Amino acid sequence: MATVIVGTGTALPPAVVTNDQLAELMDTSDEWIRSRTGVGERRLAEPGVSTADLATEAGHAALVDAGLDPEDVDALIVATMTPDFYAPGSAPLVQDRMGLGTVRSYGIRQQCSGFVYGLDLADSLIGSDKADTVLVIGAEVHAGIQPWANQWRERRNGGSITPEERERNNKHRHWSVLFGDGAGAAVLRRGTDDGILAVELFTDGSYFGLIQVPAMGSSTQPFVDVATIAADEHMPQMNGPMLYRQAVRKMPEAVHAALKGAGLGVDDVDVVVAHQANARIVDGVRKRLGLDVDQVPMNLDRFGNTTAGTLPILFDELRRDGRVSPGTVVVFVAFGAGAHWGAAVYREPTG
Ligand code: ACO
């Protein structure tokens, strides 16, 4: 018996923000962003639309796709790095809005690897008979952590930014152009022999500083104050070059480890659903695995890096396009903050 994905769904906020629009806020260009990252545009949530809102919409879509009702779900897993509140996590909000009753819910914090960790947790719950139907959602609203959080909207409405705002935006331009908002969801159930065949997960806390938000935690007292906010320590700090090097090494290693666990090899793989961090990372992973361009699809040109959302959003798109059909062998793989990384081998059931 294996765990099968029986439905998927996506929620993307309607506002499209192009690289040219970002170039009005900081010293960057469409050419720089496209050539270094592959991102062409991203979706951003309007104020008042939170991670739980997008997660709820994606969760509903996945249930409809599966032909199931909220009462059928007996565990919820919400992966995000941008929860609605510092505490508690967003899972209870999603559970309440979706009408899931009082079933167990988990908020998990493996950032870009959240969905792969979520698949593993769902597989374990189903495999141990603690749940029959698990909803796994990866969702993010990064708009609010951007230094230019409101400026793109003000600019869209004809407003201008000050030289000080532009200078601050420039300080964060290497990470802030990467991210977009969105949510993806998958419904998992006990199936036949196909489904999740193997998962390998890894953590190495010695890489904690690769990308992190330094303030707003118990490591500082008070956990947030005027000085930490003035220093922008409530925003991500990223060592881009080091992150790139680790990601292109660790993701292929995880793919090989998971394939070995499944008793398969790279030649058996049809599609790799890789974390949409940036195109150079995805392409580096593809080359190391020796796969063709069409075997490692990307949608980050349209959506940017939606952190925990990238894998389920891309998988949903591939299912709808018919790129995943009965018998297709898919490998999910991600690397992200923590550092957490891992891969899951999945075969779409034929029966
Ligand atoms: N626009 C224009 N210029 C920029 C921008 C920008 N948005 N960002 C940085 N620059 C400038 C820098 O200021 C620097 O200028 P200088 O040479 O005058 O000092 C120059 O470009 C090169 O800067 P680097 O940071 O060395 O740029 P690099 O070539 O390493 O590219 C990048 C940066 C794209 C972030 C790269 O390091 C990378 O891809 N890293 C991986 C990080 C990543 O994808 N993170 C995703 C989030 S984490 C995750 O999902 C796993």
Side-chain angles (χ1 to χ4, degrees), residues 246-255 275 281 285 333-335 341:
Q246 289 307 317
V248 294
R249 244 186 59 201
K250 304 282 196 224
M251 282 200 272
E253 285 173 8
V255 170
H275 172 50
I281 290 180
V285 170
V333 62
F335 179 92
W341 69 101

Side-chain angles (χ1 to χ4, degrees), residues 79-297:
T80 187
M81 70 160 275
T82 50
D84 295 44
F85 298 98
Y86 172 76
S90 295
L93 297 173
V94 178
Q95 186 203 43
D96 185 44
R97 288 174 199 178
M98 289 192 68
L100 302 183
T102 56
V103 297
R104 64 176 76 196
S105 76
Y106 302 83
I108 62 171
R109 298 290 310 270
Q110 281 71 26
Q111 321 296 65
C112 302
S113 300
F115 188 74
V116 185
Y117 270 73
L119 287 181
D120 185 59
L121 178 52
D123 187 37
S124 303
L125 289 169
I126 291 170
S128 60
D129 278 336
K130 289 186 173 160
D132 291 322
T133 304
V134 183
L135 178 59
V136 183
I137 306 176
E140 307 287 354
V141 171
H142 294 112
I145 61 167
Q146 296 287 359
W148 37 265
N150 293 313
Q151 295 162 17
W152 67 271
R153 257 187 323 276
E154 287 160 10
R155 188 82 193 91
R156 182 183 62 183
N157 297 332
S160 55
I161 65 162
T162 66
E164 293 75 27
E165 286 172 330
R166 191 173 189 93
E167 193 185 323
R168 180 170 176 241
N169 295 343
N170 282 343
K171 246 178 54 188
H172 298 280
R173 63 182 178 171
H174 63 293
W175 65 264
S176 77
V177 299
L178 296 168
F179 293 100
D181 299 341
V187 184
L188 290 96
R189 292 195 120 178
R190 188 171 293 107
T192 56
D193 287 344
D194 288 328
I196 295 178
L197 305 181
V199 186
E200 291 290 342
L201 302 176
F202 305 89
T203 301
D204 186 345
S206 68
Y207 287 115
F208 198 83
L210 281 183
I211 178 164
Q212 69 170 130
V213 177
M216 300 196 298
S218 59
S219 65
T220 53
Q221 293 192 18
F223 79 95
V224 63
D225 62 13
V226 172
T228 51
I229 288 184
D232 282 345
E233 289 179 3
H234 57 302
M235 290 178 191
Q237 291 182 359
M238 178 180 83
N239 180 339
M242 178 74 95
L243 204 153
Y244 172 87
R245 282 197 292 277
Q246 289 307 317
V248 294
R249 244 186 59 201
K250 304 282 196 224
M251 282 200 272
E253 285 173 8
V255 170
H256 284 299
L259 282 171
K260 192 171 170 205
L264 299 176
V266 175
D267 289 348
D268 298 307
V269 175
D270 295 304
V271 182
V272 171
V273 177
H275 172 50
Q276 303 289 291
N278 75 53
R280 290 201 301 186
I281 290 180
V282 177
D283 213 43
V285 170
R286 179 188 70 74
K287 284 180 181 149
R288 282 180 184 233
L289 290 171
L291 295 172
D292 296 335
V293 172
D294 64 351
Q295 288 180 285
V296 191

